[in-house]
Structures are given as structure tokens and as C-alpha cells.
């Protein structure tokens, strides 16, 4: 809440990239290693979500010769980048 979110789209070296970043709490290196696993909710105890969204998104991206990556640190927000093959 109260955090800004930005989205950027670019095309570089034959790849399309969409980046989504926030100013949230950030995600530790240990959590980043688990965030794309099935049913992972990073210790959330509310009833929202099943923990499948990022797992499915990464599987779909990789099936299309792309990927989803995360860059984050505690207290620094998070940046997710989706890359896919793009047309020249």
C-alpha cells in the first residue's frame, strides 16, 4: 500500500521484455529461490491465492522459449522481468 509500481516494455537483441517493479518490502535471496515453486506463498497466512500464479507463468514463458526472472533485496522492492522471443 502506498507503493509505486512501474511497467516497462522494450525490444532488444531479438527479445521482447516486460518489466514490472514495485517499492514493496522486497524478497530475500532464500525466498527468491522458492518463489516460482508450486503452491509457494512465501509465508502468507491470508486466504488469497493458491501459490500457482508465478509457477504457471514461468512454465508458460519457458514453453515459449522465454523466462521470468526476479531481482530483489529486502527493503528494496522487487523487479520481475518476462522475456520472450520478439520479431526483428
Amino acid at each position: 500500500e502506498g507503493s509505486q509500481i512501474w511497467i516497462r516494455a522494450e525490444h532488444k537483441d531479438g527479445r521482447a521484455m516486460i518489466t514490472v517493479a514495485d517499492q514493496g518490502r522486497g524478497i530475500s535471496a532464500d525466498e527468491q529461490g522458492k518463489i516460482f515453486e508450486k503452491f509457494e506463498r512465501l509465508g502468507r497466512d491470508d486466504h488469497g491465492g493458491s501459490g500457482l500464479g508465478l509457477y504457471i507463468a514461468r512454465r508458460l514463458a519457458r514453453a515459449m522459449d522465454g523466462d521470468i526472472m526476479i531481482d530483489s533485496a529486502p527493503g528494496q522492492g522487487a523487479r520481475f522481468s518476462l522475456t520472450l522471443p520478439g520479431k526483428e
Side-chain angles (χ1 to χ4, degrees), residues 15 19 33 41 46 51 72 87:
R15 309 283 294 172
T19 303
R41 298 179 66 228
D46 61 7
S72 183
K87 291 185 177 184

Side-chain angles (χ1 to χ4, degrees), residues 33-41 51-52 54-55:
K34 296 186 260 181
I35 199 165
F36 293 103
E37 292 178 7
K38 240 187 237 189
F39 306 113
E40 182 56 55
R41 298 179 66 228
L52 290 172
L54 287 172
Y55 169 78

Side-chain angles (χ1 to χ4, degrees), residues 22-28 31 72-78:
D22 67 25
Q23 298 172 322
R25 67 174 180 89
I27 301 168
S28 71
E31 289 177 326
S72 183
Q76 301 295 314

Side-chain angles (χ1 to χ4, degrees), residues 2 4 7 9 13 17 23 30-31 35 37-38 41-43 47-48 55-59 63-64 70 79 81 83:
Q4 288 189 349
I7 301 171
D13 299 327
M17 181 184 292
Q23 298 172 322
D30 288 343
E31 289 177 326
I35 199 165
E37 292 178 7
K38 240 187 237 189
R41 298 179 66 228
L42 292 181
H47 297 290
Y55 169 78
I56 292 169
R58 182 176 250 184
R59 297 267 316 217
M64 293 183 280
I70 182 172
R79 181 173 53 222
S81 298
T83 58

